[in-house]
Amino acid sequence: MDNLFIAASASSPEVDFRFSEHRLSLKGESYPENAAAFWGGIIAAVRDYLAQKNPDEAIAVHVALAYFNSSSTKMLFSLFDTLNEKAKTGTPVALNWYHDAEDDTIFEFGQELHEDFSDLTFLDHPINT
């Protein structure tokens, strides 16, 4: 399966999904005009990857989003739900959550993900700026 790379734009994050290395990274801000169109293809690619993947290989997810709007939030929940379902089947999935140590909103969103998707191994990474 081909890796997926989408360069960041003014309103969308960098997407660097190295399926061959089982490493999925999101970085930047997400408030695209049509979140469903932007995220829909990404989530479909992840679902295809998960369907083809060896269940014993661990997946590392790295998320460093400084801002996302409510439409993106819905799509991110869909992405994390897909990964959580895979983790329920025994595939180790680590969610590395990077945020500014002073940003309570992003920190709290990460905590919500930790509670809602309990099969993911949640790793909080506050960054001092």
Side-chain angles (χ1 to χ4, degrees), residues 42-63:
I42 294 166
I43 293 168
V46 169
R47 287 182 176 144
D48 287 347
Y49 156 69
L50 294 176
Q52 298 174 22
K53 188 186 154 314
N54 179 336
D56 296 334
E57 298 165 324
I59 300 170
V61 182
H62 299 271
V63 179

Side-chain angles (χ1 to χ4, degrees), residues 35-129:
F38 178 79
W39 287 103
I42 294 166
I43 293 168
V46 169
R47 287 182 176 144
D48 287 347
Y49 156 69
L50 294 176
Q52 298 174 22
K53 188 186 154 314
N54 179 336
D56 296 334
E57 298 165 324
I59 300 170
V61 182
H62 299 271
V63 179
L65 294 174
Y67 173 77
F68 37 89
N69 63 6
S70 59
S71 298
S72 292
T73 299
K74 273 180 69 174
M75 301 309 292
L76 287 167
F77 265 83
S78 182
L79 174 65
F80 295 127
D81 185 51
T82 298
L83 292 165
N84 195 62
E85 290 301 314
K86 187 66 173 180
K88 281 182 184 175
T89 68
T91 296
V93 181
L95 172 57
N96 292 277
W97 187 255
Y98 301 89
H99 61 90
D100 186 317
E102 302 295 319
D103 191 334
D104 292 338
T105 301
I106 299 294
F107 168 74
E108 289 170 7
F109 186 81
Q111 293 303 307
E112 187 177 340
L113 291 174
H114 181 52
E115 293 171 10
D116 290 352
F117 303 110
S118 59
D119 290 292
L120 301 176
T121 300
F122 185 83
L123 303 166
D124 184 54
H125 300 280
I127 298 170
N128 292 315
T129 54

Side-chain angles (χ1 to χ4, degrees), residues 5-63:
F5 180 81
I6 302 171
S9 74
S11 62
S12 62
E14 176 184 285
V15 177
D16 188 6
F17 286 0
R18 299 179 190 193
F19 296 123
S20 59
E21 299 172 16
H22 313 294
R23 179 183 169 89
L24 316 179
S25 299
L26 299 170
K27 182 171 45 175
E29 297 186 351
S30 182
Y31 51 96
E33 189 169 317
N34 186 339
F38 178 79
W39 287 103
I42 294 166
I43 293 168
V46 169
R47 287 182 176 144
D48 287 347
Y49 156 69
L50 294 176
Q52 298 174 22
K53 188 186 154 314
N54 179 336
D56 296 334
E57 298 165 324
I59 300 170
V61 182
H62 299 271
V63 179

